[in-house]
């Protein structure tokens, strides 16, 4: 009987469990044995493997985090540890490795393909949605909804005190969460790393909106731009001459990554998982699953790294239009 293995690697994202469940159940459905690898590439090096039956993945579709645990394994940059990982895969009789990860994890897994001829199937996840080659990555929708939920609450207090509030959302190198949350909450300014603009524009925008009768402002900033604290401190100084109830800031942080996945994330994670197993069954390998124009497709694994997926400038304009 053929054997496949599944792991989750890099930052966790809501929907990982739904995807693990899908790979495990589709695997068994099509007659494979399924192994779970604990803590991503760390578990490959340390041979931390568990057998997963369809029952082992019951009651997890609605749970955040990952039952397989996750890690960012520095040792995997080192050939000698990748060799150990490959030997462990062979010793266990694993025929293909399913990696639920982002660009970094795909890049690591691709070394197993190139150096040791281990078949790999990548399934994209990251709350940042910044994996090149796919329109969607598992976890993004939940992260945006978590941010929107928090900003809606912040708006109540901001409005009541007629303040300026700077809210920092996740996105180390990418503004997808900020942009989506900004549009969905009607933020007055959204700052993303891909389209930077100077501080004086931010100040002018807040002042202009006050002049148009807006008594409070919400600024959403992706962490990759600057910290909310820094921006709030500058604004405090610059806005002194104006009649606002003060400036405050909040950092939403890892709250965005936790909690029960949305219906969309559960559904797409399930579809990605089943599709990945079926593609392998049809003889494909060294591919990543991708979402493109509403369809699930597969692409060469290598397509995802070395390139930057930037948000659409049009989304940025929508934000500007709607702050009138
Ligand atoms: O890549 C996902 C992400 O949540 C980024 O938005 C964030 O910058 C980073 O991970 C945080 O990583 P860690 O959990 O290691 O602090």
């Amino acid at each position: 009987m053929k054997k496949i293995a599944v792991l989750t690697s890099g930052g966790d994202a809501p929907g990982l469990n739904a995807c693990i469940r899908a790979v495990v159940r589709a695997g068994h459905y099509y007659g494979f044995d399924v192994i779970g690898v604990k803590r991503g590439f760390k578990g490959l090096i340390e041979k931390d493997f568990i057998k997963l039956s369809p029952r082992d993945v019951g009651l997890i579709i609605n749970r955040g985090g990952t039952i397989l645990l996750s890690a960012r394994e520095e040792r995997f940059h080192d050939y000698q540890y990748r060799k150990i990982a490959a030997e462990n895969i062979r010793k266990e009789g694993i025929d293909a490795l399913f990696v639920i990860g982002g660009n970094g994890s795909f890049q690591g897994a691709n070394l197993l393909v190139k150096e040791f001829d281990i078949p790999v199937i990548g399934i994209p996840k990251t709350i940042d949605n910044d994996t090149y080659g796919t329109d969607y990555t598992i976890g993004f929708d939940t992260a945006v909804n978590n941010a929107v939920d928090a900003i809606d609450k912040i708006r109540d207090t901001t409005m009541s005190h007629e303040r300026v509030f700077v809210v920092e959302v996740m996105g180390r190198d990418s503004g997808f969460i900020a942009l989506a949350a900004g549009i969905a909450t009607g933020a007055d300014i959204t700052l993303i790393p891909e389209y930077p603009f100077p501080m004086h524009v931010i100040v002018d925008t807040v002042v202009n909106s006050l002049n148009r009768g807006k008594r409070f402002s919400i600024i959403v900033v992706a962490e990759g731009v600057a910290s909310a604290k820094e921006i709030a401190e500058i604004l405090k100084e610059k806005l002194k001459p104006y009649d606002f109830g003060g400036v405050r800031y909040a950092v939403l942080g890892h709250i965005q990554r936790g909690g029960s996945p949305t219906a969309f994330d559960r559904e797409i994670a399930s579809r990605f998982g089943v599709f990945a197993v079926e593609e392998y069954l049809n003889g494909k390998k060294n591919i990543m699953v991708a979402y493109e124009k509403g369809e699930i497709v597969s692409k060469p694994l290598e397509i995802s790294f070395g390139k930057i997926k930037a948000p659409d400038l049009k989304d940025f304009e929508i934000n500007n239009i709607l702050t009138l």
Side-chain angles (χ1 to χ4, degrees), residues 72 126-128 170-172 223 254 257:
R72 294 193 175 100
T126 161
I127 61 161
D128 291 349
M170 272 188 161
R172 198 176 14 209
E223 62 178 327
H254 289 76
R257 248 168 49 187

Side-chain angles (χ1 to χ4, degrees), residues 31 46 53 83 85 127 137 161 182 191 218 221 224 228 236 256 265 276 286 297 301 309-310 313 323:
E46 295 172 3
S53 76
K83 191 159 176 268
I127 61 161
T137 56
H161 287 267
L191 305 170
I218 302 232
V221 57
K236 233 178 233 171
Q256 290 157 97
D265 269 325
N286 313 330
V297 295
L301 189 62
K309 177 179 159 192
L313 246 183
T323 55

Side-chain angles (χ1 to χ4, degrees), residues 296-313:
I296 300 176
V297 295
S298 65
K299 298 185 174 183
L301 189 62
E302 285 162 317
I303 205 159
S304 66
F305 34 88
K307 297 193 199 92
I308 291 164
K309 177 179 159 192
D312 198 334
L313 246 183

Side-chain angles (χ1 to χ4, degrees), residues 186-245:
D188 299 275
I189 305 173
T190 303
L191 305 170
I192 61 173
E194 293 87 346
Y195 305 112
F197 50 87
M199 197 64 210
H200 69 86
V201 178
I202 303 170
V203 176
D204 289 350
T205 309
V206 173
V207 172
N208 288 341
S209 83
L210 177 71
N211 291 338
R212 291 198 309 277
K214 279 197 173 180
R215 302 285 315 152
F216 72 97
S217 277
I218 302 232
I219 300 172
V220 174
V221 57
E223 62 178 327
V225 175
S227 76
K229 183 170 188 276
E230 276 173 285
I231 296 176
E233 270 160 14
I234 298 172
L235 281 177
K236 233 178 233 171
E237 276 309 303
K238 302 273 184 201
L239 294 176
K240 262 186 188 154
Y242 301 94
D243 185 22
F244 278 113

